[in-house]
Amino acid sequence: MSPSAGGDVSEALAAQGAAAPPRPGVYLFKDDQARVIYVGKAKNLRSRLGSYMRGGDGRQQIVFLLRKATQVECLVTRNEKEALILENNLIKQYKPRYNIRLKDDKSYVSVAMTKHAWPRVVVTRRIRKDGARYFGPFHSASSVRETLDVVRKVFPLRTCSDAVFRNRQRPCLEHQIGRCLAPCVLPVDREDYEGHLRQVALLLEGRNEELVAGMEREMQLASNEERFEEAAKLRDRLRAIRNTAQGQEVLQHDGGDQDVFGFYREGGFAEVQILIVRAGRLVANRSFGFRDWNLPEEELIGSVLTQFYGGGHPIPPQILLPVELADADAREEMLTERLERRVRIVAPQRGRKKRMVDLAGENARQALGARRGEDERQSETAEELRRRLRLRSAPRTIECVDISTFQGSSTVASVVAFDDGAPATARYRRYRIRTVEGTDDFASMAEVLGRRFRAGIEADDLPDLLVVDGGRGQLGVALAALADLGLDSPEIVGLAKSRARSDARSVAMERSEERVFLPGRVNPVVLPRSSGALFLLQRVRDEAHRFAITYHRSLRQKAARESPLDAVAGIGPERKKLLLRHFGSMAGLRRASIEEIAALAGIGKTLARTIVASIAED
Ligand code: SF4
């Protein structure tokens, strides 16, 4: 790469940037291995890339990117909105190193008022386009359940499934205890039922003052008209509703729905905090932290927005940001289409909304502080590992391999990866053992590690520390696999499960400590029970075990679904199940005679003969 006048950009890269079309689209920076390392979008590809390459316009922040990139590829779209969608898809596809990626696997709890002649109210984690009316998201499943408990006690709406509703001949217990008007069979005043639905909607939207005021009026009227029983019921309902309304933090009093973004960066880390405000109340918050590659703030916030709402988060009618986005119009248009209601993206400069953004920023600052505290703890744990296990360096990336065999049949292995004490699931790997017959854990481990190390050499991706599940024997196999390839890293240790030993003077069994076997040392190291290092090693080992078992289970289930019986004419799922259940397995079925098979209900001699012939050939 010959540097240009800018000093950091190769001539080829600069030429590609200059040749980019002056149109909206997406650009992909690639490294010398042709790996996509950054995906961005622009209203005008040529001017965006030109400003990147020239520098001097405040965008020198991406110098690190230009040093790594050797080529840039452009994909033109018809407009900025399409570019936003494409950018999100490409980030998901390539997971580029320098793009931020939101790890938000939390699904939101919402409440649906179903589309039905007599709707019911249910908790859901999925928002579908099914005509139902959705409310939320809510803090947690438990807070929703509490609210729904109140709804059920206070409003006499049906709770049964549609199938039950259709088939009822008489009202169920819910009606007898006064919690349902029983529209399943009784003549119910529709206006009355809908009135309850309206009140439930107010409660779920957090519009409690409105709800309470309406109910107070109703109660007064009932009392004035000497309908005392009804007035008493309303009083009890009001009490229940007032209790649920307590404890909800009011952020603004005009009852708006907003997502408020806050941003904070410091010392190589950045944090975005999103306050989710519904009906003026803070109902949830989300925090995302990432390595700060010094990208411009609006680019970071834009990226979070794209992924946050692209990932299915409910879209509010107003989004407050700490910074103005040049593509706010395109984003508004896209979100408006999705919400089917006007969405506004605002970067408030003063007043109450600005204070809310500042509050989100303050939350981001605190979250970053907590995250860095966690980082420091991880560094301490890594340092403890280095010291106690006499490693060359403090391990930040740790992998663990686990071999799993089921009843001497197929053997599988898992390798799980942890970065800074947290599972890096994207780098988990599963292996089917190819070269080993029967059960031989040592040979299986040698095969897996050989495969893992070779792939690691190719991709320049080996962990700092490898943990094998087992003692001296397993450690020896792993070290041999490493030596076979002429490698001297990763460092390897064996973690042997605690051994049960009986106490001669007592029938009680006591557990010895976990032991860590190190290369070249006869005696294992025993880490203190309270050690963070031990806790991390155990976590990594248990995760590898869990992952291998899960893989095994899925293979077994697949094998159970795919059987030689599938190819036999006249055998459907029911007969397959019957045969396997009766004879225990395919092996059992193969041992059975034609007469034994024919004796089963619905099989008969002809089919039994076909079965025996088909599976014998297999
Ligand atoms: S009374 Fe009827 S409508 Fe009400 S919950 Fe029971 S079955 Fe459903």
Side-chain angles (χ1 to χ4, degrees):
M1 189 192 314
S2 63
S4 72
D8 291 305
V9 185
S10 78
E11 281 167 12
L13 192 63
Q16 285 168 12
R23 309 254 310 270
V26 173
Y27 52 90
L28 297 88
F29 279 111
K30 295 182 178 179
D31 67 6
D32 54 1
Q33 311 277 319
R35 284 180 297 221
V36 177
I37 54 171
Y38 187 76
V39 172
K41 67 147 260 298
K43 192 174 185 174
N44 181 324
L45 286 163
R46 186 180 296 168
S47 69
R48 166 62 59 88
L49 290 174
S51 69
Y52 272 177
M53 309 295 179
R54 281 191 304 275
D57 67 339
R59 283 197 180 274
Q60 293 97 330
Q61 290 116 318
I62 66 146
V63 160
F64 71 90
L65 189 59
L66 297 176
R67 282 202 193 111
K68 296 267 180 197
T70 56
Q71 46 178 313
V72 60
E73 193 182 304
C74 292
L75 299 170
V76 172
T77 56
R78 280 183 303 185
N79 49 46
E80 242 190 318
K81 195 176 74 186
E82 279 186 11
L84 277 168
I85 297 167
L86 182 61
E87 180 197 27
N88 192 30
N89 292 341
L90 291 174
I91 291 173
K92 273 194 212 149
Q93 182 182 341
Y94 291 114
K95 304 182 175 57
R97 174 152 186 230
Y98 296 111
N99 280 99
I100 57 156
R101 264 176 291 142
L102 301 193
K103 288 186 198 150
D104 186 25
D105 42 21
K106 228 171 164 178
S107 60
Y108 295 88
V109 197
S110 299
V111 170
M113 197 175 267
T114 60
K115 185 172 164 56
H116 188 276
W118 301 98
R120 65 195 181 114
V121 178
V122 290
V123 177
T124 179
R125 284 189 185 265
R126 284 181 59 191
I127 295 185
R128 300 183 181 87
K129 285 200 163 169
D130 57 0
R133 189 169 166 198
Y134 288 92
F135 302 88
F138 291 87
H139 251 311
S140 63
S142 59
S143 76
V144 176
R145 295 225 155 79
E146 270 169 35
T147 308
L148 277 203
D149 266 0
V150 175
V151 167
R152 298 214 159 117
K153 277 183 203 140
V154 172
F155 301 100
L157 303 174
R158 78 173 177 101
T159 52
C160 56
S161 70
D162 291 356
V164 169
F165 184 87
R166 269 195 306 275
N167 297 312
R168 285 303 297 189
Q169 307 292 329
R170 54 197 164 80
C172 73
L173 189 67
E174 289 289 302
H175 177 68
Q176 288 170 31
I177 60 173
R179 291 202 179 167
C180 180
L181 296 172
C184 53
V185 284
L186 300 182
V188 172
D189 179 358
R190 190 166 293 278
E191 182 44 41
D192 193 16
Y193 197 86
E194 279 170 5
H196 290 305
L197 286 173
R198 277 194 295 277
Q199 291 184 325
V200 170
L202 289 177
L203 182 68
L204 294 173
E205 284 171 348
R207 289 155 65 189
N208 299 340
E209 290 82 9
E210 216 176 304
L211 172 63
V212 166
M215 289 177 79
E216 274 171 348
R217 277 196 303 275
E218 266 184 62
M219 185 173 71
Q220 197 56 51
L221 189 69
S223 162
N224 292 348
E225 293 173 359
E226 299 186 358
R227 290 180 278 120
F228 295 119
E229 203 179 326
E230 207 175 308
K233 262 192 204 163
L234 278 162
R235 184 202 55 214
D236 293 345
R237 285 179 189 173
L238 265 168
R239 199 171 291 152
I241 285 162
R242 282 199 182 106
N243 286 343
T244 56
Q246 276 170 11
Q248 292 181 326
E249 190 178 344
V250 177
L251 273 193
Q252 54 150 306
H253 294 275
D254 63 4
D257 287 356
Q258 289 151 333
D259 285 354
V260 187
F261 285 63
F263 179 71
Y264 188 76
R265 72 196 323 170
E266 191 192 303
F269 292 92
E271 189 86 21
V272 171
Q273 173 93 195
I274 306 166
L275 305 180
I276 298 163
V277 179
R278 297 293 179 266
R281 289 187 165 80
L282 177 65
V283 296
N285 70 327
R286 287 285 178 275
S287 201
F288 301 103
F290 7 82
R291 280 287 300 278
D292 188 2
W293 298 112
N294 249 337
L295 286 163
E297 187 176 336
E298 77 257 23
E299 209 153 313
L300 271 172
I301 299 280
S303 212
V304 174
L305 268 182
T306 308
Q307 291 180 53
F308 192 57
Y309 297 113
H313 182 272
I315 303 166
Q318 190 171 67
I319 296 167
L320 304 184
L321 301 182
V323 62
E324 245 171 70
L325 300 187
D327 58 6
D329 290 352
R331 289 179 185 276
E332 281 185 351
E333 194 186 328
M334 190 174 78
L335 294 174
T336 297
E337 264 171 35
R338 248 190 261 158
L339 184 64
E340 295 173 357
R341 194 180 149 192
R342 184 88 175 92
V343 176
R344 286 190 187 283
I345 297 178
V346 185
Q349 300 305 312
R350 67 187 75 79
R352 187 176 45 77
K353 287 180 181 162
K354 173 77 168 73
R355 285 197 295 279
M356 286 171 71
V357 170
D358 291 345
L359 176 68
E362 175 55 24
N363 274 282
R365 192 181 69 78
Q366 284 180 15
L368 193 144
R371 213 181 285 276
R372 285 179 76 186
E374 177 58 26
D375 253 36
E376 274 157 29
R377 265 193 298 285
Q378 288 312 329
S379 299
E380 278 166 24
T381 304
E383 180 51 29
E384 189 193 347
L385 276 172
R386 188 198 64 73
R387 197 164 29 83
R388 291 193 188 270
L389 306 186
R390 299 168 179 82
L391 303 174
R392 292 190 294 265
S393 61
R396 304 300 296 248
T397 55
I398 302 177
E399 291 190 8
C400 180
V401 58
D402 185 82
I403 308 288
S404 164
T405 307
F406 179 70
Q407 294 179 351
S409 64
S410 62
T411 302
V412 300
S414 71
V415 175
V416 299
F418 274 56
D419 288 347
D420 289 326
T425 50
R427 298 210 314 280
Y428 282 18
R429 295 173 176 86
R430 310 194 280 204
Y431 300 85
R432 271 174 121 141
I433 303 301
R434 297 181 191 140
T435 58
V436 183
E437 295 268 321
T439 314
D440 185 341
D441 274 8
F442 286 178
S444 301
M445 181 164 312
E447 179 191 319
V448 170
L449 288 182
R451 286 163 64 186
R452 167 68 192 102
F453 292 151
R454 274 190 292 277
I457 296 169
E458 225 163 80
D460 189 18
D461 164 36
L462 286 168
D464 299 331
L465 176 67
L466 178 81
V467 180
V468 293
D469 181 15
R472 216 180 324 278
Q474 283 84 350
L475 177 61
V477 171
L479 291 169
L482 199 67
D484 272 356
L485 293 166
L487 296 171
D488 66 351
S489 67
E491 298 191 81
I492 307 180
V493 298
L495 179 65
K497 274 218 176 68
S498 49
R499 256 195 326 219
R501 61 171 189 249
S502 54
D503 186 325
R505 283 159 302 178
S506 149
V507 287
M509 301 285 279
E510 136 193 347
R511 310 295 293 180
S512 70
E513 305 289 347
E514 301 252 12
R515 294 154 307 144
V516 188
F517 287 87
L518 309 181
R521 286 180 61 95
V522 178
N523 293 326
V525 172
V526 177
L527 298 172
R529 269 176 205 275
S530 59
S531 145
L534 174 65
F535 180 68
L536 177 58
L537 290 180
Q538 287 172 325
R539 229 181 117 208
V540 177
R541 190 256 325 273
D542 294 349
E543 176 66 352
H545 193 55
R546 181 200 65 76
F547 193 54
I549 300 261
T550 313
Y551 182 39
H552 221 149
R553 193 174 301 137
S554 75
L555 286 182
R556 288 209 308 274
Q557 282 165 352
K558 198 167 157 221
R561 284 196 302 271
E562 292 166 7
S563 122
L565 287 171
D566 295 335
V568 181
I571 301 288
E574 286 307 313
R575 281 183 174 152
K576 179 173 139 188
K577 215 188 291 167
L578 174 75
L579 287 163
L580 290 176
R581 198 183 302 138
H582 187 83
F583 295 106
S585 62
M586 277 306 295
L589 180 58
R590 282 198 177 95
R591 283 194 297 273
S593 67
I594 292 176
E595 287 68 30
E596 283 170 317
I597 299 174
L600 291 188
I603 301 285
K605 267 218 162 140
T606 315
L607 186 53
R609 265 193 218 102
T610 315
I611 294 169
V612 170
S614 308
I615 61 176
E617 280 162 16
D618 179 57

